[in-house]
Amino acid sequence: MATQSPFLFLEGLLQNLPRPKLQPPDWVVSEVQHRIVLLLNHVLMQESEATTRLARQKGRIMLVQWRSFSFKLQATPAGLLDLAAPDASADLVLTATEESPVALAQSVFRGDKPAVRIEGDVQLAAEISWLTEHVRWDIEEDLARILGDVPARVMSQWVQSMVTGLRQFVAKASAIVPGQAVR
């Protein structure tokens, strides 16, 4: 029996839903933005070259946006990031061009970088590009500090095998031509 891919149904459903005009409270937005900055700084501190490169861009402001979500980040003299004032002028604008959350998630799970439109300062864009290419979060090391080396390694291997399986599933599902039956 042939059925259609569930991704086609989800994609159509999400595209046809009206975008809610409801916005989360300002305090929720602020807390989420602060947590993102803390995570980014944690990852940056694991790579000294990253903080050195970012320190050269101190005071520069980046606007990061996707759909109606956006926030501004400012490079600090320490080579880390901080939230910039909402009314500050951005030196670099990074916009995720994929509107569909399903397509965005599929590209990320395939291991692809999402498509981003870049506008603004070329040198700052080059530094951000270097950071995205060379800085990775060593989750296993962070887990080892909490759980110990062996449990962290086992958990890391388990998650890696799940991600690999998910990527294979998404790759197979993405290879299906829209409207084609799945067997």
Side-chain angles (χ1 to χ4, degrees):
M1 179 175 151
T3 60
Q4 284 199 341
S5 169
F7 291 110
L8 293 175
F9 172 74
L10 287 174
E11 183 74 26
L13 182 65
L14 288 173
Q15 291 295 337
N16 293 330
L17 285 176
R19 289 190 185 172
K21 300 217 186 314
L22 297 174
Q23 292 292 336
D26 289 340
W27 66 269
V28 171
V29 172
S30 176
E31 284 300 315
V32 169
Q33 289 175 346
H34 280 90
R35 298 300 180 253
I36 290 170
V37 169
L38 285 173
L39 176 64
L40 290 172
N41 284 336
H42 173 73
V43 173
L44 286 170
M45 286 189 296
Q46 294 175 353
E47 177 65 52
S48 63
E49 179 65 20
T51 56
T52 302
R53 286 175 171 264
L54 204 51
R56 291 192 298 242
Q57 301 297 323
K58 66 182 174 196
R60 308 302 301 262
I61 297 174
M62 297 148 278
L63 171 63
V64 180
Q65 54 190 14
W66 176 69
R67 294 174 75 170
S68 63
F69 307 104
S70 67
F71 62 101
K72 292 181 181 176
L73 297 170
Q74 182 172 13
T76 69
L80 299 173
L81 296 169
D82 196 6
L83 287 175
D87 59 344
S89 176
D91 298 302
L92 181 67
V93 178
L94 304 168
T95 307
T97 58
E98 181 56 63
E99 289 289 319
S100 167
V102 173
L104 186 62
Q106 282 180 329
S107 70
V108 169
F109 282 122
R110 277 194 309 266
D112 301 338
K113 291 183 181 175
V116 176
R117 186 177 70 240
I118 302 170
E119 300 171 12
D121 184 78
V122 176
Q123 183 61 38
L124 181 56
E127 295 294 359
I128 298 301
S129 177
W130 187 92
L131 292 173
T132 61
E133 291 291 327
H134 294 92
V135 177
R136 295 288 177 260
W137 182 13
D138 189 355
I139 299 171
E140 185 176 333
E141 182 179 324
D142 286 343
L143 284 174
R145 289 184 201 142
I146 298 168
L147 305 173
D149 290 338
V150 174
R153 181 70 181 153
V154 170
M155 187 177 285
S156 178
Q157 289 174 337
W158 180 71
V159 169
Q160 286 175 350
S161 65
M162 283 184 51
V163 168
T164 301
L166 188 57
R167 282 184 177 165
Q168 290 171 349
F169 174 75
V170 169
K172 287 180 183 178
S174 297
I176 298 171
V177 178
Q180 178 183 354
V182 178
R183 297 177 203 252

